[in-house]
Amino acid sequence: MGDNKYVIDVDHVTIRFNKANAKVDNLKEYCIRLMKRELLFQEFLALKDVSLKVKAGEAWGLIGTNGSGKSTLLKAISGIMKPYKGTITVNGNISPLIELGAGFDPNLTARENIFMNGAVLGHSEKVMQEHFDEIVEFAEIEDFLDSPIKNYSSGMKARLGFSVATMVSSKILIVDEVLSVGDFLFRKKCMKRMEDMLSGGTTLLFVSHNLDQVRRLCDHVIWLDHGETVMMGETEKVCDEYQSMEDEDSPFNQKRRARKLARQQAKEAAK
Amino acid sequence: MNIWQERIHVFMQYTNLLKQLVKRDLKLKYRRSVLGYVWSILNPLLVMLIMTLVFSSIFERDAIQNFPVYLITGRTMFEFMTTSTNASMRAIIGNAALLKKCYVPKYIFVLAKVVSSMVDFIFSLGALVIVMVFTRANVTPYILCSPLVMMQLFLFCCGLGFFLASLNVFFRDVQYIYKAITTAWMYLTPIFYPINRLEKSLRIFVKTCNPMYYYVAQFRDMVYTGQFPGPRIFWGGWIIGIVMFVIGIWVFKKSQDKFILYI
């Protein structure tokens, strides 16, 4: 079983948050809760026993309703969060696009921000200098290079962020619902760029609520709901099933209702 | 051995980030100010001037020879400690947006704050030079040893910065109480008064338990008095710096995986 076959190997991962502790960030609160004995765990599992094995060059779509754990899974893969149970193995460098322009400082100019964001992604200054012109050209911001980013519109920031993150080739690209702010021409350009990267052997993890984009880009899809895997496999099959959720009486919705009922009953029983 | 190679490799990969962060701090500090970096020198000069005017009328003038140099040597050292630790204390929560979205070794942000304060500190030594020239202070070769004290203080501030940064993530109270602590700390450090002004028990306390005493006294020996510091404060300074550094790194490393849940 060659372990290196997979670029990303998520093995039975559970991620736990402590709902009770999440709000306590000062001493007073801490002491009050300590006295009331409320510091005890109120656990919340953002991911429950999720496994995902991605081979090099594959494009995986992550779909699911809001709060289903898609972003948490991406955060776990990129190393921001540590799993509570299970293991995550990643072979290769990750270019995370979890939010475009996360590394931008509003007070710096676009030029300075390009170098800054490149550094956040772990690139050397030399590499950034080599790609500088390409980045500016792709983002189409030549005229505003020396104005501070705080004067940029969100669309322009997204352009710049996308262009920095994709210009220097990386083995794994993570894109989390970020293309929604760009105009349709730029979106097209981005889709084209991601397709090029895919044919160049980059592995893609793509979160989107736009199923057309998912169908176009991805060859596999994992569908998450309340932190659990509902379905994973080929794009068409999973997407069709996911879309059938619109239908109130689909098997998934029936199961979901049953689960909700069970949760309520458990709560009442606890009282 | 392997894990250390890995760590050094990661650090090398992110040295550019460290450089960019320091550059950012320095660039933004004086952006849109007319005098720019000149403020790094002008500011300590003005403060020194005011404090000299105030304190030379409180203490008899001849109690401290060349009061301006005495004052500015102590103040620049202490100022570096407060600015670097205050900035690094906020380094993690201040970059929360980025840390939530992108994997970056978190210690880089804390380190960058201490390094940029260090650069600012080195600029402010210009003020010291100006004051020394102006007051015709006598300069001895021992001044060349002063980088040794700066290294000790740098280690100490890194350690304290790492410690405060992690603590501040869990209890935001730290940043408010710290202001009071540094004020008390400043008065307990002989910056504008001579150490023998303190009564005996307090003097012994300051001489042994106040880390800043070790650094201020060493720096003054080299720059102001013109002698090599005694072995107690010299080796004591190294030991305190290294111990604080190790404690800070250890606390930070122990708690950094939990940061994400609190920022």
Side-chain angles (χ1 to χ4, degrees):
Chain A
M1 308 290 279
D3 278 29
N4 295 328
K5 215 170 69 182
Y6 299 112
V7 184
I8 300 167
D9 187 354
V10 178
D11 190 30
H12 297 282
V13 162
T14 298
I15 289 199
R16 184 176 70 166
F17 287 103
N18 183 357
K19 267 204 288 194
N21 255 357
K23 281 170 296 185
V24 183
D25 59 2
N26 62 66
L27 265 175
K28 188 192 85 190
E29 198 91 343
Y30 186 85
C31 293
I32 291 173
R33 283 176 188 249
L34 195 68
M35 279 188 280
K36 283 169 140 182
R37 294 179 184 278
E38 269 180 18
L39 272 177
L40 300 170
F41 244 76
Q42 264 181 43
E43 68 169 16
F44 165 69
L45 299 177
L47 286 180
K48 293 169 211 158
D49 201 23
V50 173
S51 293
L52 175 66
K53 294 188 193 315
V54 179
K55 286 182 200 152
E58 282 183 339
W60 277 81
L62 279 76
I63 57 175
T65 49
N66 296 128
S68 54
K70 306 183 293 285
S71 297
T72 309
L73 181 56
L74 291 189
K75 281 181 183 174
I77 291 171
S78 50
I80 301 170
M81 278 181 192
K82 291 264 157 29
Y84 165 58
K85 271 186 204 154
T87 55
I88 295 174
T89 323
V90 177
N91 296 305
N93 58 329
I94 295 183
S95 207
L97 270 185
I98 288 184
E99 193 167 289
L100 282 178
F104 287 161
D105 186 300
N107 291 310
L108 291 176
T109 66
R111 186 192 300 275
E112 290 159 346
N113 262 312
I114 290 174
F115 285 102
M116 182 64 138
N117 212 355
V120 167
L121 297 176
H123 303 311
S124 70
E125 199 165 0
K126 199 171 138 249
V127 171
M128 292 313 291
Q129 245 143 18
E130 280 163 14
H131 290 83
F132 186 80
D133 292 334
E134 281 173 72
I135 290 169
V136 175
E137 198 190 305
F138 187 85
E140 299 166 26
I141 51 150
E142 291 91 341
D143 301 337
F144 308 101
L145 254 184
D146 290 304
S147 38
I149 277 271
K150 62 184 169 192
N151 300 338
Y152 274 45
S153 71
S154 53
M156 279 163 79
K157 265 187 260 181
R159 279 163 180 258
L160 188 57
F162 185 85
S163 125
V164 175
T166 57
M167 202 51 73
V168 185
S169 65
S170 53
K171 226 167 145 189
I172 303 162
L173 180 67
I174 293 184
V175 183
D176 185 358
E177 189 68 58
V178 284
L179 300 178
S180 45
V181 280
D183 59 53
F184 73 100
L185 284 175
F186 188 70
R187 264 206 307 260
K188 229 165 135 185
K189 214 166 148 184
C190 292
M191 292 296 276
K192 171 86 180 31
R193 163 123 226 134
M194 287 194 278
E195 277 166 353
D196 288 350
M197 288 178 81
L198 276 173
S199 50
T202 298
T203 308
L204 175 72
L205 293 179
F206 186 65
V207 169
S208 180
H209 291 292
N210 183 335
L211 286 183
D212 294 335
Q213 284 180 354
V214 173
R215 280 176 203 262
R216 195 175 138 192
L217 270 179
C218 303
D219 42 38
H220 294 80
V221 167
I222 176 167
W223 172 12
L224 295 173
D225 188 66
H226 285 99
E228 284 171 85
T229 316
V230 180
M231 228 181 140
M232 59 200 267
E234 278 160 34
T235 307
E236 291 304 318
K237 238 171 93 187
V238 182
C239 282
D240 287 344
E241 192 70 26
Y242 179 67
Q243 270 171 324
S244 77
M245 225 174 35
E246 276 180 89
D247 176 15
E248 279 295 312
D249 292 320
S250 69
F252 172 71
N253 276 330
Q254 281 171 8
K255 251 193 274 170
R256 204 178 189 188
R257 273 197 295 274
R259 252 197 321 210
K260 203 171 169 188
L261 202 70
R263 266 206 305 272
Q264 268 169 0
Q265 278 167 350
K267 237 183 201 169
E268 265 158 41
K271 279 180 192 168
Chain B
M1 212 52 221
N2 214 347
I3 188 152
W4 282 100
Q5 271 173 356
E6 171 82 24
R7 276 175 191 162
I8 290 166
H9 177 76
V10 169
F11 179 73
M12 294 313 281
Q13 198 192 351
Y14 284 98
T15 42
N16 185 32
L17 179 61
L18 184 64
K19 196 171 127 198
Q20 296 290 338
L21 287 169
V22 172
K23 244 177 158 177
R24 172 182 75 174
D25 285 344
L26 294 175
K27 265 185 191 162
L28 290 182
K29 189 162 183 198
Y30 296 115
R31 183 159 280 184
R32 285 183 197 275
S33 73
V34 181
L35 293 179
Y37 294 114
V38 176
W39 278 117
S40 286
I41 296 175
L42 210 54
N43 201 34
L45 270 184
L46 290 174
V47 175
M48 187 273 310
L49 212 65
I50 293 166
M51 285 177 94
T52 306
L53 286 174
V54 172
F55 287 111
S56 56
S57 59
I58 294 178
F59 303 112
E60 315 92 274
R61 250 223 113 120
D62 49 358
I64 299 170
Q65 201 197 0
N66 199 349
F67 187 71
V69 175
Y70 182 85
L71 177 73
I72 205 166
T73 43
R75 223 191 74 89
T76 39
M77 290 300 262
F78 199 85
E79 188 71 9
F80 166 59
M81 193 282 291
T82 43
T83 44
S84 64
T85 49
N86 259 308
S88 46
M89 178 169 63
R90 293 182 176 83
I92 298 298
I93 51 172
N95 287 296
L98 177 57
L99 290 171
K100 274 186 205 168
K101 270 143 204 158
C102 195
Y103 176 74
V104 192
K106 300 174 196 62
Y107 68 87
I108 297 280
F109 292 95
V110 181
L111 196 58
K113 286 291 178 198
V114 185
V115 173
S116 53
S117 308
M118 185 82 181
V119 175
D120 205 50
F121 164 70
I122 289 169
F123 284 150
S124 73
L125 290 179
L128 174 65
V129 172
I130 291 174
V131 174
M132 285 179 79
V133 171
F134 226 74
T135 56
R136 299 207 181 86
N138 93 31
V139 179
T140 60
Y142 289 108
I143 202 167
L144 297 174
C145 303
S146 52
L148 289 174
V149 196
M150 293 172 201
M151 273 151 71
Q152 298 169 14
L153 186 58
F154 180 78
L155 281 177
F156 178 77
C157 292
C158 281
L160 189 56
F162 278 118
F163 177 74
L164 290 170
S166 358
L167 206 59
N168 199 22
V169 170
F170 303 110
F171 303 108
R172 303 288 146 90
D173 312 65
V174 173
Q175 50 191 325
Y176 307 111
I177 189 82
Y178 190 61
K179 211 174 167 178
I181 291 174
T182 44
T183 310
W185 196 351
M186 188 191 77
Y187 287 112
L188 278 176
T189 310
I191 292 172
F192 48 79
Y193 58 83
I195 181 80
N196 44 25
R197 275 265 173 152
L198 297 173
E199 57 154 313
K200 196 172 174 228
S201 57
L202 190 60
R203 188 165 69 223
I204 290 169
F205 171 75
V206 169
K207 275 190 162 178
T208 50
C209 302
N210 180 355
M212 282 315 289
Y213 171 76
Y214 289 76
Y215 304 120
V216 169
Q218 280 185 74
F219 192 56
R220 260 187 200 142
D221 275 345
M222 293 164 180
V223 177
Y224 172 79
T225 328
Q227 62 183 29
F228 198 79
R232 193 186 74 86
I233 52 170
F234 183 73
W235 295 111
W238 277 110
I239 290 166
I240 292 170
I242 291 166
V243 167
M244 189 69 237
F245 187 76
V246 171
I247 291 176
I249 293 277
W250 184 76
V251 169
F252 192 84
K253 191 177 171 300
K254 274 268 164 192
S255 55
Q256 63 173 349
D257 286 344
K258 283 192 226 143
F259 287 175
I260 186 78
L261 304 174
Y262 294 84
I263 54 179

